[in-house]
Amino acid sequence: MLDGKKIALYVTGGIAVYKAADLARSFIKEGAEVKVAMTKSAAQFVSPLTFQILTKNAVMTNTFEETEPEVVNHIHLADWADAAVIAPATANTIAKLANGLADNFVTSALLATTAPIFVVPAMNKNMYEHPATTNNLALLKERGAYIMNPDTGFLAEGYEGKGRFPEKERIVKELTGWLKQEQVSGPLSGKRVTVTAGGTKERIDPVRYITNDSSGKMGYRLAEAARDLGATVRLITASSLPVPNGMESVAVESAQDMYEAVSEAFDSTDVLIMAAAVSDYTPAKSSNQKIKKNTGNLIIEMAQTKDILKEMGQQKTDQFLIGFAAETQNIEEYAQRKLKEKNADMIVANDVSKEDAGFNVDTNEVHLYRKEGETIYLPLADKKEIAEKILQYAVEDMKKEG
Ligand code: CTP
């Protein structure tokens, strides 16, 4: 399953180091070449010699021990690898990576590598659940690393909890699946696709907000479909659904946050898919304190938000823009108007008054209004299928636009 893959296995210090030795063997059995780097604390648990004998490669532990004068070892390992696997990954190393520290061989190589990073956290339950660790892992995930879920079970500390090093079979399976995805080549290979998803939340005060019924499902399915066609995907999400594997994500709350995230990504975007239900209005003033009940009505003045799609339509150079139109009437007229007014290349229009289409359901039924082609009707289908078809037509139109 890992035929010909070059795996840099980074071993950091925890009791699960002894299991990493067996993991190295599994990688080799699956056809990979493995080179190991260890932290000093990892070497306290199992000798580097064990890994050296198993992998038939020298094990790196010291940044300043340069055995071959023609190469800088940590850069060499960083560049050599097709995949960087950190197993076990301690809370300490995870924290260093999240903050860009490079104070030993392992962290230096990991900062230098452009290979996909696969993290196998293993530690005490309380350390794993500490907000610092949770935040650090979320940050690594946001940057594109794959984070495995540790097993729950009997820990070395003598009690049950989440934090155990997973079975090697599960590690090999998840790594193989993920690498396959990372490598897919398809009509969107080399393209950077930015997808927005979910309904924005506009704060009235610290505990109240205005939002809409969008779940984010359509955007997520589009992000996955783009990934499967080979694109590098950035998902800008206002939804709380878990981010799919194999993509970068930016969590946002308000229309303004989303505008900023899209603007930042836009220069390096080839395709922008605005699947998010962006609020057109936001409270003109949001209160820092909870608003107290008073006699009489409460009037909230609403100010217009920026129309992200329209702004990007004005700024666009050669980006392909896909917008959505959620309508309850005059679908064709409104969709065609949005196509022109927002300078989009495609508008995916749906009738949100229908029960099986649009917000918060797994299916959709849409019309594609295209700058470069005739209108396409996509009958009721799973959102995954609809997403694949949308991208298929987008790829076709992009070819025409050159
Ligand atoms: N959109 C956006 N920024 C906004 C509002 C909408 O980028 N502030 C995007 C949506 O993501 C969608 C498209 O514009 O891709 C159409 O959104 P929709 O709400 O249907 O249309 P509006 O332009 O808001 O017009 P109206 O409310 O009149 O239908």
Side-chain angles (χ1 to χ4, degrees):
M1 283 199 286
L2 291 168
D3 264 348
K5 282 267 167 323
K6 295 180 200 146
I7 296 180
L9 176 61
Y10 296 93
V11 183
T12 69
I15 182 63
V17 173
Y18 78 94
K19 295 185 180 173
D22 207 18
L23 181 65
R25 286 189 59 205
S26 297
F27 288 162
I28 294 164
K29 265 200 221 151
E30 295 294 337
E33 185 180 354
V34 180
K35 288 189 180 177
V36 175
M38 300 174 83
T39 58
K40 291 230 160 60
S41 15
Q44 297 283 331
F45 289 90
V46 173
S47 152
L49 187 63
T50 308
F51 287 93
Q52 183 178 310
I53 292 170
L54 291 174
T55 62
K56 301 193 172 52
N57 278 313
V59 174
M60 314 291 168
T61 50
N62 186 345
T63 324
F64 300 104
E65 200 175 281
E66 296 291 5
T67 41
E68 296 171 58
E70 66 276 16
V71 295
V72 177
N73 276 335
H74 65 280
I75 304 293
H76 187 63
L77 182 65
D79 290 345
W80 169 84
D82 296 323
V85 177
I86 316 170
T90 58
N92 186 41
T93 293
I94 289 166
K96 287 181 187 176
L97 291 184
N99 288 287
L101 296 185
D103 64 344
N104 59 35
F105 189 96
V106 166
T107 49
S108 303
L110 283 166
L111 195 63
T113 198
T114 53
I117 295 181
F118 187 92
V119 186
V120 187
M123 64 195 76
N124 167 269
K125 165 183 181 292
N126 297 334
M127 288 168 99
Y128 179 70
E129 286 170 358
H130 193 286
T133 308
T134 318
N135 288 343
N136 289 333
L137 285 171
L139 191 63
L140 294 182
K141 186 171 177 190
E142 207 175 289
R143 294 190 198 137
Y146 184 97
I147 314 291
M148 270 195 85
N149 229 342
D151 275 354
T152 301
F154 192 70
L155 300 172
E157 293 79 350
Y159 52 84
E160 292 273 318
K162 189 169 180 177
R164 265 170 66 97
F165 193 78
E167 294 304 322
K168 58 181 191 294
E169 289 78 14
R170 182 158 78 90
I171 301 178
V172 171
K173 189 164 162 254
E174 287 189 32
L175 176 66
T176 314
W178 183 61
L179 289 178
K180 220 179 260 159
Q181 256 170 32
E182 287 278 297
Q183 270 187 345
V184 283
S185 66
L188 289 176
S189 289
K191 297 268 186 240
R192 287 156 302 182
V193 176
T194 301
V195 184
T196 65
T200 62
K201 287 181 183 154
E202 309 302 324
R203 289 261 159 215
I204 300 169
D205 72 13
V207 294
R208 303 181 178 99
Y209 52 76
I210 296 171
T211 189
N212 55 62
D213 275 336
S214 165
S215 60
K217 285 177 185 163
M218 193 65 238
Y220 276 53
R221 296 296 87 82
L222 279 157
E224 286 165 345
R227 175 201 64 197
D228 294 345
L229 291 177
T232 304
V233 179
R234 179 182 290 203
L235 178 64
I236 298 176
T237 177
S239 160
S240 53
L241 293 173
V243 174
N245 287 330
M247 63 186 68
E248 206 187 316
S249 72
V250 184
V252 295
E253 184 175 276
S254 64
Q256 179 61 25
D257 293 344
M258 187 169 275
Y259 169 74
E260 285 166 19
V262 171
S263 299
E264 200 189 310
F266 196 61
D267 268 354
S268 57
T269 290
D270 298 299
V271 182
L272 171 66
I273 308 179
M274 284 295 306
V278 188
S279 177
D280 290 326
Y281 295 93
T282 192
K285 273 189 242 125
S286 101
S287 167
N288 288 332
Q289 304 298 333
K290 187 180 163 211
I291 299 172
K292 300 302 283 179
K293 180 166 59 229
N294 246 322
T295 44
N297 295 341
L298 170 71
I299 296 169
I300 299 171
E301 194 191 339
M302 303 288 281
Q304 269 199 10
T305 56
K306 289 209 173 77
D307 187 324
I308 306 171
L309 183 58
K310 195 169 176 182
E311 296 251 351
M312 298 307 128
Q314 283 160 3
Q315 285 179 30
K316 88 170 178 189
T317 46
D318 49 9
Q319 289 91 343
F320 190 89
L321 301 193
I322 305 179
F324 275 70
E327 310 290 355
T328 52
Q329 56 179 341
N330 305 338
I331 301 181
E332 163 138 35
E333 181 195 334
Y334 289 147
Q336 292 285 13
R337 193 185 302 164
K338 280 174 194 169
L339 189 66
K340 285 202 189 67
E341 279 178 1
K342 303 198 184 200
N343 194 20
D345 299 275
M346 181 189 286
I347 291 286
V348 181
N350 57 5
D351 182 345
V352 281
S353 65
K354 288 195 176 163
E355 244 178 42
D356 295 334
F359 286 155
N360 222 347
V361 287
D362 292 325
T363 50
N364 212 352
E365 174 192 345
V366 300
H367 281 87
L368 309 184
Y369 296 94
R370 303 146 76 202
K371 198 167 140 192
E372 294 294 332
E374 79 280 18
T375 300
I376 303 287
Y377 169 63
L378 300 179
L380 191 69
D382 201 77
K383 281 185 172 167
K384 179 175 188 289
E385 206 175 302
I386 298 280
E388 287 163 1
K389 294 250 170 65
I390 292 172
L391 288 178
Q392 187 188 316
Y393 285 103
V395 167
E396 206 176 279
D397 291 354
M398 281 160 72
K399 277 191 199 136
K400 284 186 214 152
E401 289 186 16

